[in-house]
């Protein structure tokens, strides 16, 4: 029996080695936390075949908010793209993962309010005043402890309010946020384009906006990083190098040939108004690097501004230094 099992195991290893030898792509799973233009580099790399060209057969799926990272922690996923803040919070609980490429350092989260709420708060002019005016409102975010929720907490600290106590939060998937706003079930919501832009087109007001330059001191931040399951890259370095290479092709296309990039996204977002998609894409492109980036400065800044003053930032920075490597960014040229 043991001999049979040993022979089977050897056969599996030999089969995997043979597949690698004949150039078959390695298989891996990437879990996204939402549907958003923020993940355009992933969509483009998948639809244009860049992942397979780079040597990885990447299965892309979706789980809302922090659940995407939990898939890696639980072993059911190999990669995700998520905010470094979320990765750090998990590491504080002993749930470590490894960021292998910085995909965006400019925060592009926004808050939209209903026309009624915005008119009532019209005396608030500066970004800080507008953040303070959120006190008492009902706002939607996509998931507890996700990036929009964290962004709202950051705004609250700048304005001297507690976003978890002074704002009533409801959790709604992004496609349903504008509908809730139209039905007056919420006063506004926190997310990013195209959902925020769509709401504005229907009469809502853009209240606070990262792309507009509100609260620029937040940047550079680990707004979107490619994260691998703990230990995965140590045993499968080539499989980690491949998606970074593919995403560099996507980022270069977005920067240098935006019309081609938008055409690929149009197929992905085929039910979206083309004009709205273009507006969302243009905003995203202005905040997107031409290639994946090292992450040290962005992680340091994330710790400085996205965590409360009561937290041990020196300890957090020490943790952060164990949560990323620039090996695949610098070797993936």
């Amino acid at each position: 029996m043991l001999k049979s099992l040993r022979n089977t195991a050897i056969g599996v290893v030999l089969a995997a080695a043979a597949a690698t030898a004949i150039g078959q792509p390695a298989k891996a799973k990437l879990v996204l936390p939402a549907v958003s233009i923020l993940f355009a580099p992933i969509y483009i790399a998948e639809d244009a075949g860049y992942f397979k060209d780079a040597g990885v057969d990447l299965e892309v799926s979706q789980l809302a908010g922090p659940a995407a990272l939990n898939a890696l922690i639980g072993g059911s996923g190999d990669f995700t793209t998520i905010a470094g803040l979320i990765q750090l919070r998990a590491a504080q609980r002993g749930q470590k993962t490894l960021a292998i490429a910085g995909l965006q350092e400019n925060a592009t989260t926004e808050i939209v309010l209903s026309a009624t709420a915005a008119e009532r708060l019209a005396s608030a002019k500066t970004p800080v005043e507008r953040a303070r005016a959120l006190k008492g409102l009902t706002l939607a975010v996509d998931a507890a402890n996700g990036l929009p929720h964290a962004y709202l907490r950051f705004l609250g600290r700048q304005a001297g309010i507690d976003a978890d106590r002074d704002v009533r939060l409801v959790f709604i998937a992004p496609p349903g946020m504008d509908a809730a706003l139209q039905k007056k079930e919420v006063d506004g919501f926190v997310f990013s384009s195209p959902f925020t832009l769509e709401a504005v087109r229907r009469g809502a007001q853009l209240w606070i906006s990262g792309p507009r330059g509100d609260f620029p001191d937040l940047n550079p931040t680990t707004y979107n990083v490619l994260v691998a399951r703990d230990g995965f890259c140590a045993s499968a370095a080539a499989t980690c190098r491949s998606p970074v290479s593919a995403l560099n092709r996507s980022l270069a296309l977005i920067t240098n040939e935006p019309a081609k990039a938008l055409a690929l996204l149009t197929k992905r977002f085929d039910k979206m108004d083309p004009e709205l998609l273009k507006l969302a894409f243009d905003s995203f492109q202005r905040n997107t690097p031409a290639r994946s980036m090292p992450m040290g400065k962005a992680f340091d800044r994330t710790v400085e501004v996205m965590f409360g003053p009561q937290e041990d930032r020196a300890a957090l920075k020490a943790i952060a230094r164990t949560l990323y490597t620039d090996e695949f960014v610098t070797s993936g040229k």
Side-chain angles (χ1 to χ4, degrees):
M1 178 67 174
L2 288 176
K3 183 177 180 181
S4 175
L5 288 173
R6 188 183 305 113
N7 289 340
T8 299
I10 292 171
V12 170
V13 171
L14 290 175
T20 301
I22 63 175
Q24 291 184 1
K27 291 183 179 293
K29 295 181 179 180
L30 186 151
V31 186
L32 292 175
V35 175
S36 173
I37 294 296
L38 177 64
F39 308 118
I42 302 290
Y43 303 143
I44 290 170
E46 183 181 22
D47 294 345
Y50 294 165
F51 288 130
K52 288 188 177 179
D53 288 349
V56 60
D57 183 0
L58 199 61
E59 177 187 331
V60 180
S61 59
Q62 181 189 325
L63 289 171
L69 189 65
N70 290 338
L72 272 63
I73 294 165
S76 60
D78 303 306
F79 301 103
T80 187
T81 66
I82 202 165
L85 169 79
I86 308 302
Q87 185 192 8
L88 262 166
R89 286 294 191 197
Q92 284 182 296
R93 302 189 296 270
Q95 300 169 323
K96 292 188 68 175
T97 51
L98 184 70
I100 61 174
L103 302 178
Q104 185 170 326
E105 290 186 340
N106 292 337
T108 52
T109 302
E110 299 180 305
I111 298 179
V112 294
L113 296 184
S114 69
T116 301
E119 183 178 356
R120 188 171 69 248
L121 303 173
S123 61
K125 302 297 184 185
T126 69
V128 170
E129 289 173 347
R130 287 186 166 210
R132 189 174 298 121
L134 298 173
K135 184 175 182 178
L137 298 186
T138 299
L139 300 179
V141 296
D142 62 330
N145 300 315
L147 178 57
H149 190 183
Y151 183 76
L152 186 60
R153 285 168 168 162
F154 161 74
L155 297 182
R157 286 193 295 273
Q158 311 314 300
I161 65 173
D162 185 331
D164 290 306
R165 294 186 178 186
D166 296 331
V167 178
R168 179 176 177 265
L169 296 179
V170 295
F171 304 107
I172 301 174
M177 289 179 173
D178 185 50
L181 190 65
Q182 298 294 325
K183 294 176 184 177
K184 300 182 180 180
E185 295 171 349
V186 297
D187 296 304
F189 65 84
V190 190
F191 207 67
S192 55
S193 65
F195 301 103
T196 49
L197 292 177
E198 185 173 21
V200 170
R201 289 183 67 185
R202 294 182 181 179
Q205 183 170 325
L206 190 59
W207 191 248
I208 292 173
S209 171
R212 188 171 61 195
D214 300 345
F215 297 97
D217 289 346
L218 177 57
N219 303 323
T221 185
T222 50
Y223 194 71
N224 191 29
V225 292
L226 178 64
V227 176
R229 176 165 48 86
D230 187 36
F232 184 72
C233 294
S235 59
T239 308
C240 289
R241 191 170 292 108
S242 293
V244 176
S245 176
L247 291 172
N248 279 336
R249 287 184 69 183
S250 292
L251 293 169
L253 190 75
I254 291 167
T255 299
N256 301 319
E257 300 182 80
K260 288 185 179 180
L262 180 58
L264 285 166
L265 290 174
T266 298
K267 295 177 183 178
R268 173 71 64 141
F269 292 91
D270 59 341
K271 294 181 173 58
M272 186 178 296
D273 183 309
E275 182 182 347
L276 177 64
L277 178 60
K278 186 176 187 311
L279 287 172
F281 175 77
D282 289 346
S283 176
F284 171 75
Q285 189 207 22
R286 289 192 295 270
N287 291 280
T288 301
R291 61 170 291 112
S292 55
M293 300 170 292
M295 293 163 283
K297 289 183 179 178
F299 264 107
D300 280 350
R301 190 65 181 157
T302 296
V303 171
E304 289 171 7
V305 301
M306 291 295 278
F307 288 84
Q310 74 281 5
E311 298 188 75
D312 187 340
R313 292 177 181 171
L316 281 165
K317 285 186 179 182
I319 293 174
R321 293 186 190 104
T322 71
L323 298 182
Y324 73 91
T325 176
D326 292 332
E327 171 190 351
F328 302 101
V329 172
T330 55
S331 65
K333 296 181 180 178

